[in-house]
Amino acid sequence: MAWLVEMGWGGLVQYPDTITWTDISQYVSTARAISISRGASDEISETQPGTAVLSLDNEDGRFTPGNSASPYYPFVRRNAPIRISVAVIPTRSGSAPYPVAQLGDDFDDGRVDTTLWPTNIGGATETAAGRLRIPVSPGVDTNFTSARQWTLKGSKLTAKLAAVPAANGSSNCAASMWITATTSGTRIGWRYDALTGVLAAMSQVGFADATPTNLPYSAIDHAWLRVRESSNTVFWETSSDGHDWTVRRTLATPAWVTSQTHAVDFPTTRTGGTASYIEWDLVGAEIKPRFWGTANEFPIEWEGLASTVTVTCTDLFKRLNRLPVLRSMAIEEVLAAGPAAFYPLTEPSDSTSAGDLSGNGAGSLTIQQAGTGGSLNMAAASGPAATEDQVPVFTPSSASAGKWLQANMGDAVQQLLGGGRAVFECWFQTTTSGRVIMGVASADLQSVHVLSLSSSGQLQIEWTTSGGTLTVTPVLLATGLADGKWHHVVYGQYSNWAFLDGQLAMTGVSVGYGYDQRTLHVGGYRGTRLWSGSVAYVAVYGVTQAAEGLLASHYPAGANGYAGERADERIRRLARYAGVDSVTTVGDTFDAIASQGPGGTQVVARMREVEATESAKLFAERDYYGLAFQSRDLRYNPDPASEAFAVAYADLEPGTSLSDDDQKMVNSLQVSRPGGATQRVTAPSSITAFGLYEPQPFDILKTNDNSVLDAAAWVVSRYANPGPELREVAIDAYTMPNYLDILDADISSGFTVYGLPSQAPAPSMRVTVEGYTETIRERSHLIQFHTSSSSNDSVWVLNDPVYSRLDSTTRLAY
C-alpha cells in the first residue's frame, strides 16, 4: 500500500477535466499520518464537509507560497485542487503462471527488482520520486521485461504513464507497454510515438497492426493505461486518475492469449536526436480515491532548519458554503444559462437605473423621458407568482408621453450577440394593448428587432435590417396577452422561434437577422408606444438554435418555482446554480418537491431542505468534483450479497462500541408543508413506555398532505423505540485480507460484524456506514466507521419470511 497525493497546480476545481495533476507523494511526511474525515456521525445528522490533513516536507521551499524558486510557482496558493488516493499493490499468490493483475511494483525502494524484472537492457532505474525511468537514447533499443510467468485471460495489466519521451530531433522515437506472446512480434498493448504525439492501442502480429486505435496523447486523459481481458474480449482503457476508466478499443481475444504464458515488456527505441526518457509508476496498483477537494492554506512551520507545511483541505462543500445567497429561481435560471446581458429589474424603490448581472460589463438601463408626465416606479409591483420579487411599474400619460428604459450594452455584448444569433427573454404584465415590451437595435438603427403587443393584444415581432419602416410579423399562437397576467416570452432571431409561457408559439417565420446589436430598449421604443404595466427579467443571449428551447423552460421558475419536479431534478438544478455540473443520483424513490422559487437562502441550505424532505443523503464525491444524492430506498431491506464486506469482532480495533440510549428517539412529530396542513404522528406505546420525545415542528417541501403524513410516519416508525446498535466500528483495514472491499465502503454501504461477544444482543449485527474518519500511515490504514443499525431501514414486504412482520422487524415503506 502506498498513498498517492496529487496537486492540481494552477487548475480550477470547477473545471476538473482540465486539471493537470502533479504527484507530490514523495514529500508527504512519513512521520505524520494523513487524516481524512467524511460523512456524518449518525443517520439523523447532516453530512459534514469532508476534510483532510497532511504534512509536507518543505526543505527546499517548494511549498512556500510566493517563493519564485518553487517548481510550482506561482500556484502554491489557497484553493489549489488536491486529491488523495490509496494505491494498493497486488501480491503474488498461488503458483505460476500467475494472473498478470498480480504483477505489482511501485518502484519505491530505489533499486530494480531483478527477480521480477530479469531483463533490463538500457539501464532503467528507479528515481528518488519512486518511478521507473527508462532511457530513450539514440541508436539504442531498450527492454525492461518481466519473467514469462503471467496470463492475461480474465486479468489486466495497469500502469501509470508518469512522463513521456520528447522527440528531440529524432526520426523515430517510441516507447511502449506490451504483453507479449511466445512468438516474437506478437503482442498486445500501448505504444506512444513521440514524433506524432499519438498513443496507439495495438494488437501486433509481426510487429505490426494494420488497424490500431490512435489517440492524440493527453497528459490529463491518458495518465493511466490498462489492458484487460474479459469474456473473450480484450479492452484497451485509459484513465485520468487510475480509478475511472474509459474504453478506447475492443477486440476478440486472440488465441495466444488463452493458450500461452506471457511476459510484460516496457521497450523504447530512438533513431538520432538527443536522449530523453519515459517514466512509469504503480504497475498493477488498484487505486482507491479517499479525498477530492482544495487546500485551505500552506502554513510554514520550522524546527531549527527543518521546514514542514501542514495542509488542511476541504471538499466541494467549502466552495458551496461560501457562495452568496440565491436570488429567486427566475433570476438564477437566467444566470445559469449564461446571458450576454441580464437586467432583472428588481432594484429597490429609490433606484433610478437598473443594472446588468451577466458580468459582461453591459451598461445600465437608465430612465428616459418622452414628452411630459408619466412615471416609472421601481419595486412597485409583485413579480411572477413564485418569485416574491418586487419589479417596476411603467405608468405613461399616453402612448408617447412617459418613461421607459434604455441601455448601451457595449462592445462585449455586441460581440456575444453576433450576427443573427440574439435571443430575447423577458416577463411582462399589462392590460393595455398596442405597446412595446422590449427591443434591441444597432447604434445606427439599421438593424432593429422589437417585441410588442398589437392593438388586439397579440405578440408581434417588428424588425428591419436596412433602417427602413419596421416590418410587423405576428406570433400566431400568442394572443389575448393584455389580460393583466404575467407572461413569459423567448424569441430567437436565428430560428425565428417564439415561445410563450413555455409553449412553442411560432416556428420558422421569415424575420431578418439582426447585426451590431447593442442598444436595449425596455418599456418602449425611442419614446413611442410606451408600456403600461410591468416588465422584468430582461435578458439577451448569443446562443445556438438548440439552446432557444431550453430557455423556454425558464417559465416554471417564475410561474410556480418548479413545484412538482422530482427531488433529484431539484438537486441537479440547485447544483447548476452553484456551477456544479456533476451530480450522481443513486436509488429510485424521489418524490415531488414543492417550490423553492423565492430567493434569500444559500444553495446548500436549499439542498439540505430537499435532503431532509426526502430522508435522503447528500454529500461530496471523494473521487471527483461533484455531488452524490442518495434516495432513502437505497437502504431498504439490504441484501447480504450486496454488503461491502464482513469483519470478525476479533479483528476490530479499540473504539468499537454498542449503544442503547434515547439519542435518536422520536415518538411524536409535528410537520407541515408550504401552503398545506399541519399534522402530527405519534407512537402511543412508545410514549407510554418512555415518555414524550418530540423534536421541534418543521416544514418539509412536499406537494400534498398525504406525503407529509407519510414522511412523518417514516421517522416515528424508525425511532419510536430504536434498538441497540453499533455506532462506532474501528478497523485497521490494511491488515485485512479484504482491504480493497473495505476501501470501497462509503456512505450508505452496509457491512456485518460477526463473532460478537456473548454479552452482545446477537452474534452478528449489520450496520450502515454514515461516515468515517481514517488515519493513513505506512503499512497502516485505520478507519473508524460511524455506523447505524441497518434494521432501521427495513420495510414491509408481503409474504416475505423476514420482512412481512409489520411493526416487528419492518415498517411501511415511505
Side-chain angles (χ1 to χ4, degrees), residues 439-459:
V440 176
S442 60
D444 60 6
L445 302 180
Q446 293 296 296
S447 174
V448 178
H449 283 73
V450 173
L451 294 181
S452 65
L453 295 186
S454 71
S455 58
S456 64
Q458 182 175 24
L459 183 66

Side-chain angles (χ1 to χ4, degrees), residues 420-478:
R421 295 180 58 217
V423 179
F424 307 154
E425 178 182 10
C426 71
W427 287 78
F428 63 88
Q429 179 190 54
T430 189
T431 57
T432 304
S433 299
R435 304 297 176 91
V436 168
I437 306 168
M438 64 174 291
V440 176
S442 60
D444 60 6
L445 302 180
Q446 293 296 296
S447 174
V448 178
H449 283 73
V450 173
L451 294 181
S452 65
L453 295 186
S454 71
S455 58
S456 64
Q458 182 175 24
L459 183 66
Q460 58 189 19
I461 299 151
E462 305 174 51
W463 59 278
T464 180
T465 57
S466 60
T469 302
L470 299 181
T471 299
V472 178
T473 301
V475 179
L476 299 179
L477 301 180

Side-chain angles (χ1 to χ4, degrees), residues 55-93:
S55 292
L56 304 173
D57 182 351
N58 192 43
E59 183 177 356
D60 60 1
R62 66 178 53 234
F63 299 112
T64 300
N67 178 15
S68 60
S70 168
Y72 316 131
Y73 178 83
F75 300 119
V76 180
R77 60 192 184 194
R78 68 188 72 86
N79 294 328
I82 183 172
R83 64 186 186 188
I84 302 171
S85 303
V86 170
V88 181
I89 306 300
T91 56
R92 190 170 55 191
S93 62

Side-chain angles (χ1 to χ4, degrees), residues 475-739:
V475 179
L476 299 179
L477 301 180
T479 59
L481 302 181
D483 56 3
K485 299 178 182 178
W486 278 105
H487 295 285
H488 176 253
V489 62
V490 174
Y491 164 66
Q493 288 179 349
Y494 183 84
S495 66
N496 290 321
W497 285 9
F499 295 83
L500 181 72
D501 297 342
Q503 301 299 313
L504 187 61
M506 179 181 78
T507 60
V509 177
S510 179
V511 174
Y513 294 167
Y515 58 90
D516 296 336
Q517 300 164 104
R518 66 184 295 150
T519 304
L520 174 66
H521 304 260
V522 176
Y525 176 64
R526 301 185 69 200
T528 63
R529 291 176 292 157
L530 301 177
W531 189 256
S532 179
S534 294
V535 180
Y537 314 113
V538 175
V540 291
Y541 305 82
V543 297
T544 63
Q545 178 177 344
E548 293 176 10
L550 297 178
L551 299 178
S553 68
H554 293 175
Y555 171 67
N560 57 38
Y562 296 104
E565 71 179 345
R566 293 190 351 161
D568 54 331
E569 295 170 343
R570 180 65 56 79
I571 289 292
R572 288 192 183 95
R573 186 178 305 282
L574 295 172
R576 183 160 50 86
Y577 295 167
V580 178
D581 295 327
S582 177
V583 179
T584 301
T585 56
V586 186
D588 301 308
T589 303
F590 296 104
D591 291 349
I593 293 292
S595 169
Q596 292 176 295
T601 55
Q602 289 185 304
V603 67
V604 172
R606 293 200 187 187
M607 288 180 172
R608 294 300 189 192
E609 288 177 343
V610 178
E611 178 188 27
T613 296
E614 287 290 282
S615 294
K617 289 295 179 184
L618 176 72
F619 51 91
E621 299 278 19
R622 62 184 178 184
D623 64 338
Y624 195 69
Y625 181 77
L627 295 170
F629 185 58
Q630 298 177 340
S631 74
R632 59 186 176 273
D633 75 307
L634 180 66
R635 300 181 174 208
Y636 288 174
N637 297 350
D639 181 356
S642 67
E643 286 190 345
F645 62 93
V647 60
Y649 171 78
D651 290 327
L652 301 183
E653 299 296 310
T656 300
S657 63
L658 181 73
S659 299
D660 181 25
D661 53 32
D662 61 359
Q663 174 183 318
K664 301 178 182 180
M665 186 170 286
V666 177
N667 52 27
S668 178
L669 188 62
Q670 180 176 303
V671 291
S672 58
R673 68 180 180 90
T678 298
Q679 303 177 88
R680 188 165 177 252
V681 173
T682 64
S685 61
S686 174
I687 295 173
T688 300
F690 305 110
L692 184 65
Y693 284 80
E694 181 171 338
Q696 291 294 318
F698 66 95
D699 292 337
I700 55 177
L701 300 176
K702 295 296 185 182
T703 56
N704 63 74
D705 292 339
N706 285 338
S707 294
V708 173
L709 203 62
D710 289 342
W714 174 248
V715 174
V716 172
S717 68
R718 295 170 78 201
Y719 301 118
N721 185 15
E725 62 181 1
L726 292 170
R727 292 188 186 159
E728 298 291 331
V729 179
I731 305 172
D732 189 348
Y734 177 73
T735 65
M736 303 296 292
N738 52 352
Y739 183 28

Side-chain angles (χ1 to χ4, degrees), residues 207-240:
F207 298 103
D209 183 349
T211 58
T213 296
N214 293 321
L215 307 172
Y217 170 71
S218 164
I220 297 174
D221 298 332
H222 308 143
W224 291 80
L225 305 179
R226 185 164 79 180
V227 178
R228 177 170 60 91
E229 199 281 339
S230 177
S231 302
N232 299 313
T233 301
V234 176
F235 299 84
W236 286 258
E237 297 165 310
T238 66
S239 174
S240 63

Side-chain angles (χ1 to χ4, degrees), residues 132-417:
L132 173 68
R133 177 174 293 182
I134 304 174
V136 187
S137 303
V140 178
D141 291 342
T142 73
N143 290 95
F144 188 83
T145 312
S146 74
R148 186 170 294 280
Q149 57 185 0
W150 309 101
T151 59
L152 179 59
K153 178 66 176 177
S155 194
K156 60 189 177 182
L157 172 66
T158 305
K160 182 181 181 184
L161 181 52
V164 297
N168 289 350
S170 175
S171 60
N172 171 43
C173 179
S176 307
M177 178 180 85
W178 298 112
I179 295 173
T180 66
T182 55
T183 301
S184 178
T186 299
R187 51 193 183 177
I188 284 176
W190 291 94
R191 181 180 186 273
Y192 174 72
D193 189 322
L195 273 67
T196 61
V198 167
L199 181 67
M202 308 185 80
S203 176
Q204 292 189 344
V205 176
F207 298 103
D209 183 349
T211 58
T213 296
N214 293 321
L215 307 172
Y217 170 71
S218 164
I220 297 174
D221 298 332
H222 308 143
W224 291 80
L225 305 179
R226 185 164 79 180
V227 178
R228 177 170 60 91
E229 199 281 339
S230 177
S231 302
N232 299 313
T233 301
V234 176
F235 299 84
W236 286 258
E237 297 165 310
T238 66
S239 174
S240 63
D241 61 3
H243 177 66
D244 293 315
W245 295 88
T246 300
V247 175
R248 303 296 186 176
R249 182 186 180 185
T250 61
L251 184 72
T253 302
W256 64 267
V257 169
T258 60
S259 62
Q260 298 179 8
T261 301
H262 322 316
V264 173
D265 190 18
F266 292 91
T268 71
T269 184
R270 177 189 291 278
T271 302
T274 57
S276 61
Y277 57 83
I278 187 170
E279 289 185 342
W280 300 93
D281 199 4
L282 297 172
V283 170
E286 289 280 354
I287 302 301
K288 299 295 184 181
R290 309 309 297 168
F291 180 83
W292 207 111
T294 56
N296 298 330
E297 60 175 338
F298 290 86
I300 310 302
E301 305 169 9
W302 285 277
E303 288 187 16
L305 297 179
S307 175
T308 60
V309 176
T310 300
V311 184
T312 300
C313 316
T314 313
D315 68 14
L316 167 59
F317 273 95
K318 176 188 176 183
R319 181 170 182 268
L320 298 185
N321 281 323
R322 70 168 185 260
L323 293 176
V325 297
L326 292 176
R327 303 169 179 87
S328 66
M329 277 185 160
I331 294 176
E332 294 295 341
E333 283 292 317
V334 175
L335 290 174
F342 177 39
Y343 302 88
L345 294 164
T346 54
E347 279 78 5
S349 59
D350 58 352
S351 299
T352 58
S353 60
D356 161 60
L357 295 188
S358 73
N360 294 318
S364 297
L365 283 167
T366 58
I367 298 176
Q368 310 293 310
Q369 177 72 53
T372 59
S375 64
L376 198 171
N377 296 314
M378 306 297 285
S382 296
T387 66
E388 297 185 4
D389 289 333
Q390 296 297 299
V391 299
V393 172
F394 298 76
T395 310
S397 298
S398 67
S400 58
K403 302 179 188 296
W404 86 98
L405 296 167
Q406 182 174 311
N408 180 346
M409 295 184 291
D411 292 339
V413 175
Q414 179 178 319
Q415 293 299 317
L416 288 170
L417 297 182

